[in-house]
Amino acid sequence: EVLAPDDLASLLRASDFVALTAALTAETRGLIGEAELRRMKPTAWLINVARGGLVDEDALAQALRDNWIAGACLDAFVNEPLRANHPLYALPNVMITPHNSAASPQIHERTAELFLENLRRYRAGRPLLNVVDKRRGY
């Protein structure tokens, strides 16, 4: 099912796992705050493998402490690395990784393939893949 951004509230209410993979832009900054966390099921997990600025970390810590949601898997934070005394470390329902979710055994191979394909396209005067639009923020 594909939903429009306006359907976020219904998506949050229905989901067992909410995985954030969005770019951090003016539109997505603070996407998940107190209101969104309260809409989630008490059995739901929030997974952030994107950018820390998508989530209000204070609201998330409260949601996890007070069991608004079951847990969180976090690979990105507003300030990285996450400071050693951050409250999220003390919570038993949080898994924290060092912003390395993109790493895989194939990362170097895939990066080289993309580079070579873009080199072929550049030399042929064709459009490149994965071009960043700085006006959109990604």
Side-chain angles (χ1 to χ4, degrees):
E1 182 174 11
V2 177
L3 300 173
D6 293 345
D7 294 324
L8 179 61
S10 63
L11 176 73
L12 293 172
R13 280 191 290 275
S15 298
D16 294 312
F17 295 91
V18 176
L20 302 178
T21 61
L24 181 60
T25 66
E27 293 81 18
T28 62
R29 184 174 301 280
L31 180 70
I32 303 295
E34 180 178 344
E36 291 75 22
L37 291 162
R38 287 185 179 275
R39 284 187 184 100
M40 293 173 65
K41 295 178 182 181
T43 56
W45 281 71
L46 179 71
I47 303 165
N48 187 4
V49 294
R51 296 289 181 250
L54 298 175
V55 178
D56 177 334
E57 291 172 357
D58 292 334
L60 177 60
Q62 181 179 358
L64 293 163
R65 267 192 314 273
D66 295 347
N67 298 308
W68 302 348
I69 64 173
C73 300
L74 306 170
D75 190 52
F77 304 93
V78 172
N79 295 303
E80 295 181 352
L82 192 61
R83 71 179 193 274
N85 64 345
H86 197 285
L88 289 170
Y89 281 121
L91 298 171
N93 51 349
V94 177
M95 289 183 244
I96 294 175
T97 55
H99 205 156
N100 67 349
S101 63
S104 78
Q106 295 82 28
I107 189 96
H108 298 296
E109 178 183 334
R110 290 177 180 158
T111 301
E113 287 173 7
L114 177 61
F115 173 79
L116 292 172
E117 176 60 24
N118 271 340
L119 181 59
R120 285 189 285 275
R121 288 168 174 260
Y122 176 78
R123 292 182 73 197
R126 294 178 30 226
L128 303 180
L129 300 174
N130 298 342
V131 174
V132 173
D133 181 343
K134 291 182 180 181
R135 290 170 293 156
R136 294 186 74 184
Y138 58 95

